[in-house]
Amino acid sequence: MTSVNSLVDIAVFGIVGAIMMAALIGLLLVVSGSARGASPRVRVAFGAASVVLLVALPTLTAANTLSSGSGFWVAFATATCVVAVVYAVNVAMLPVVARRRAAATGETALASLRPSPPVLAAGLLICLALGLLGAAVAALVV
């Protein structure tokens, strides 16, 4: 029954995280598309909100998994999968953001921006690190 609980945690927290990340990216696009553009403070605020999201969601997922009686490694795997879902949304939104930015600045190189396999692999390593951080914090709290 633990695996079903973990899958539900991944689905719920992953979908919520994906929606929140897409909303943050959308808001940043709206703000940066205004006449003044996004100020450095606004960009820092959006970056901080993204980092909080990428740390809080795996921690909550791992805490939920640990409180259901699962072990640390199950919590780590669940937290890593949640971060991977949010990462997938970021990768999927990258071409949209790049095209929007290219249209605003006139740079044609941005319009064809795509992540390379090494960049995607590095992102997966970051997902593992964030999953481990979330599981470790949850293990300390729970």
Side-chain angles (χ1 to χ4, degrees):
M1 197 60 144
T2 301
S3 62
V4 173
N5 289 339
S6 296
L7 290 175
V8 170
D9 287 342
I10 291 168
V12 169
F13 286 102
I15 290 171
V16 166
I19 290 169
M20 290 176 73
M21 187 60 72
L24 278 174
I25 292 170
L27 284 172
L28 186 58
L29 282 175
V30 168
V31 169
S32 66
S34 67
R36 296 181 321 196
S39 69
R41 283 186 174 174
V42 170
R43 284 184 273 171
V44 167
F46 276 99
S50 296
V51 169
V52 166
L53 182 70
L54 287 171
V55 172
L57 278 175
T59 303
L60 290 172
T61 305
N64 193 27
T65 304
L66 287 171
S67 67
S68 70
S70 300
F72 175 81
W73 295 110
V74 175
F76 164 68
T78 306
T80 301
C81 288
V82 167
V83 176
V85 169
V86 175
Y87 173 66
V89 168
N90 279 329
V91 169
M93 296 284 290
L94 178 65
V96 174
V97 173
R99 281 194 304 269
R100 172 77 184 243
R101 185 72 182 158
T105 62
E107 296 179 36
T108 58
L110 279 177
S112 62
L113 182 65
R114 301 276 185 265
S116 65
V119 170
L120 293 174
L124 290 177
L125 288 175
I126 292 170
C127 289
L128 286 170
L130 287 171
L132 183 61
L133 175 67
V137 169
L140 292 173
V141 172
V142 174

